[in-house]
Amino acid sequence: MAPRLLGAVLHGRGASVRLTEVEAYLGVGEDPGSHAHRGPTPRTRPMFGEPGHLYVYFSYGMHACANIVCSPPGAASAVLLRAGEVVDGLDTARERRTTSRVDADLARGPARLTIALGIVLADDGVLLDGEPFALELPSAPVPASRIHTGPRTGVSGEGGTDAYPWRFTIAGDPTVSPYRRSVPRKRG
């Protein structure tokens, strides 16, 4: 499902973003980089629910990040929305992202994307069928020749290696965020 979301437009709270970068995450025991790897928890409950809902979580105690749940109920998987181009509501996105110097940076990265769209933690579990958010798939998929794949950004351990090339981007798009390998934290 992840590559099929490239070029999709997510509408919400006065702004719309065309997705240019996403990452796939699978469920229990399948993907060591996934929040659902060890099974359901109160935090990951939406990942185990109906497809087409948001799974929103707090990252590093600072930012909300949004995923779209993709599997049937009980089989967790989600696609992290990493970056996109604001295609409607540019003024609204600019008001929310006052530190962006150029419009390509307004939704360039998962936290910036959620801010541009007005997604907050309380949106965890919201269905993407109208208000406040709606997902519009592209009329035609992005051609495979324009899709770049690679390891996921900032994922530690095996889940962040070439064994999991589940980061999908529209090649050459200026709104795609830079790849960042996970850096082990120093202890002590």
Side-chain angles (χ1 to χ4, degrees), residues 2-3 6 20-24 147-150 165-170:
L6 293 173
T20 60
E21 177 183 1
V22 296
E23 287 180 350
I147 296 175
H148 175 78
T149 63
W166 295 342
R167 177 180 181 234
F168 301 89
T169 66
I170 297 177

Side-chain angles (χ1 to χ4, degrees), residues 25-28 30 34 36 44 47-49 69-78:
Y25 292 87
L26 292 180
V28 179
E30 298 177 273
S34 173
T44 63
M47 282 185 78
F48 291 86
V69 176
C70 297
S71 290
S77 75

Side-chain angles (χ1 to χ4, degrees), residues 23 25 32-34 152-161 180-182:
E23 287 180 350
Y25 292 87
S34 173
R152 297 173 294 195
T153 295
V155 175
S156 62
E158 184 185 2
T161 67
R180 289 191 173 91
R181 183 178 313 278
S182 175

Side-chain angles (χ1 to χ4, degrees), residues 46-63:
M47 282 185 78
F48 291 86
E50 294 281 339
H53 286 78
L54 282 179
Y55 163 52
V56 183
Y57 65 92
F58 211 40
S59 178
Y60 299 111
M62 299 185 317
H63 306 289

